[in-house]
Amino acid sequence: MYAVIMAGGEGARFWPVSRSNCPKPFLSILGGDPLVVQTMKRLEGLVPPERTLVLINRKQEEVARRLLAGLPPENLILEPRIRDTAPCIGLAAKIVRHRAGDQTIVCLPSDHIIDPAEKLRECLRHAEVCVRNDPGALYTIGIRPTYPATGYGYILRGEVIGEVDGTVIHEVTSFHEKPSMAVAEAYFDSGDYFWNSGIFFWRTDAILDAIRRWLPELHEGLEQLAPALDTDRMEATMARVFQGLPRISIDYGILEQADRVRVIEGHFAWDDVGTWRTLRGHLPTDEQGNVVQGKVVAMDSSGNVLYGAGDHLVAALGVRDLIIVSTPDATLVTTRNHAERVRSLVAKMKEQRLDRYL
């Protein structure tokens, strides 16, 4: 089994702490190791660094090489442009096939929280058997919802088609985007839906065949890249080809179209830590229910996320349910209910050419 860790994001949702050259995966948002390092460590004993690829945006090379010193240098793959998960996974599959022939690969986001790690490794061991038994299928891991979340995508599971050591394999009936609260409650009450973890596994030939069928433009680009892989022409060829690749997710581009998609349940706690608001589920709160990180003074304030980076002091007086994040050159102030719109705020900064803050 090979692992593909996807770490090439823009750094938008956790702005202003997260920036384009050091996005969320490379930060210690929750304390301890940076999230991408935690992701690597979860694979210990199952997939060694020699069989692990980490794909990042070229802007992040310096911080990535510093944090991932144990990764073979050739396994840090630099994407010249952000093109979402379908091109990322397609490129990784091509590289693995080039180096080792067709293999099982597990594709993991780099910035999720999973606990305990052993339960993930157990799930991936079952995943490897699933692929061995049905190598033409595409697989994902679903998480049984613990509440009606509106910030996650959902998977409607279909009939049971088998099991591996007690892990049931379901057909996937459909994928669903982030729902309204009423729809999320209906999903939760039905018991037929999983949260979409964003963790996928399959053989390289299965996913590359699916790309050829469903994303022919991406397939053509990957065919142009193939002769240059692991040569001195790779960087120049990537720079030329990547700009023409479609920017599309693997979910939308492949999994929602394909007809042999399976899901198994991951029996571990999972969160994609998608916004500043979600810190409340992972960090301790003070007696007024505030999440406090860094130099912070709060008085008559409750339900806030107060985050001071560096030596900057954040002082809050008489405020409720706010998110205040301060860095040396930028400060974010929003409400908890608007936390998911920070990405749109960053897009507006781009429109106004405020690149020095991104």
Side-chain angles (χ1 to χ4, degrees):
M1 178 187 288
Y2 279 69
V4 174
I5 297 176
M6 301 173 284
E10 295 180 280
R13 291 187 294 177
F14 274 82
W15 185 89
V17 173
S18 176
R19 304 293 176 99
S20 60
N21 63 347
C22 190
K24 181 178 60 167
F26 302 99
L27 300 174
S28 302
I29 292 286
L30 303 178
D33 290 324
L35 295 174
V36 69
V37 175
Q38 293 184 34
T39 303
M40 285 279 294
K41 286 185 174 181
R42 288 188 200 111
L43 298 172
E44 289 179 354
L46 182 65
V47 185
E50 292 74 22
R51 296 204 308 269
T52 300
L53 305 183
V54 180
L55 285 88
I56 64 169
N57 185 269
R58 178 169 291 281
K59 294 179 183 178
Q60 301 145 14
E61 180 179 8
E62 181 179 352
V63 64
R65 292 205 185 278
R66 174 169 53 84
L67 292 177
L68 302 174
L71 186 76
E74 67 273 15
N75 286 7
L76 186 67
I77 311 302
L78 309 179
E79 297 178 302
R81 290 174 179 260
I82 293 172
R83 282 295 180 263
D84 217 317
T85 54
C88 172
I89 289 171
L91 172 62
K94 278 286 191 184
I95 291 172
V96 171
R97 172 185 268 183
H98 169 75
R99 294 178 181 178
D102 285 314
Q103 302 285 337
T104 296
I105 57 173
V106 55
C107 305
L108 307 101
S110 58
D111 53 0
H112 290 183
I113 299 299
I114 293 174
D115 187 63
E118 177 52 37
K119 287 293 185 180
L120 171 66
R121 290 190 290 269
E122 179 182 297
C123 186
L124 296 182
R125 292 185 189 102
H126 294 162
E128 193 166 24
V129 177
C130 289
V131 174
R132 190 182 309 133
N133 292 343
D134 189 2
L138 307 177
Y139 296 86
T140 184
I141 295 175
I143 307 296
R144 189 177 300 275
T146 55
Y147 66 96
T150 59
Y152 302 146
Y154 285 76
I155 299 168
L156 175 59
R157 64 176 182 261
E159 65 178 271
V160 174
I161 60 171
E163 69 170 59
V164 173
D165 293 335
T167 294
V168 177
I169 306 167
H170 289 266
E171 284 190 333
V172 171
T173 299
S174 55
F175 290 85
H176 298 265
E177 297 299 320
K178 297 175 182 178
S180 66
M181 178 54 73
V183 173
E185 288 174 345
Y187 289 170
F188 182 74
D189 292 341
S190 78
D192 294 326
Y193 289 81
F194 286 130
W195 286 335
N196 185 352
S197 71
I199 302 173
F200 313 108
F201 56 98
W202 37 56
R203 272 177 58 97
T204 49
D205 50 348
I207 190 61
L208 290 171
D209 285 348
I211 288 172
R212 177 183 53 78
R213 179 178 179 185
W214 300 108
L215 292 175
E217 187 178 355
L218 174 56
H219 167 74
E220 177 57 33
L222 294 175
E223 288 298 296
Q224 293 178 40
L225 282 171
L229 295 178
D230 293 331
T231 73
D232 56 7
R233 306 190 313 277
M234 184 169 173
E235 182 177 347
T237 305
M238 291 265 286
R240 173 176 57 81
V241 172
F242 246 70
Q243 62 185 343
L245 297 183
R247 185 168 183 171
I248 191 168
S249 73
I250 199 75
D251 307 62
Y252 184 75
I254 298 295
L255 298 180
E256 292 185 15
Q257 321 298 324
D259 50 10
R260 291 180 64 189
V261 183
R262 318 287 192 235
V263 60
I264 65 173
E265 182 176 355
H267 296 281
F268 44 80
W270 168 89
D271 190 355
D272 75 350
V273 197
T275 70
W276 283 109
R277 177 176 181 168
T278 61
L279 295 192
R280 295 184 60 78
H282 299 283
L283 294 176
T285 57
D286 65 15
E287 58 272 18
Q288 281 78 47
N290 300 301
V291 172
V292 174
Q293 290 286 293
K295 287 192 174 183
V296 174
V297 176
M299 190 170 75
D300 297 331
S301 300
S302 63
N304 303 289
V305 174
L306 306 171
Y307 194 106
D311 201 42
H312 195 97
L313 173 68
V314 174
L317 174 62
V319 295
R320 306 285 186 273
D321 299 331
L322 292 183
I323 294 170
I324 303 174
V325 182
S326 183
T327 67
D329 67 342
T331 300
L332 169 70
V333 180
T334 186
T335 65
R336 284 165 53 187
N337 288 339
H338 285 81
E340 292 196 17
R341 299 182 62 199
V342 171
R343 185 193 294 270
S344 298
L345 184 66
V346 170
K348 188 173 183 65
M349 294 178 208
K350 288 182 180 178
E351 291 176 5
Q352 297 183 9
R353 301 182 183 278
L354 298 170
D355 294 350
R356 59 171 292 193
Y357 300 102
L358 304 178

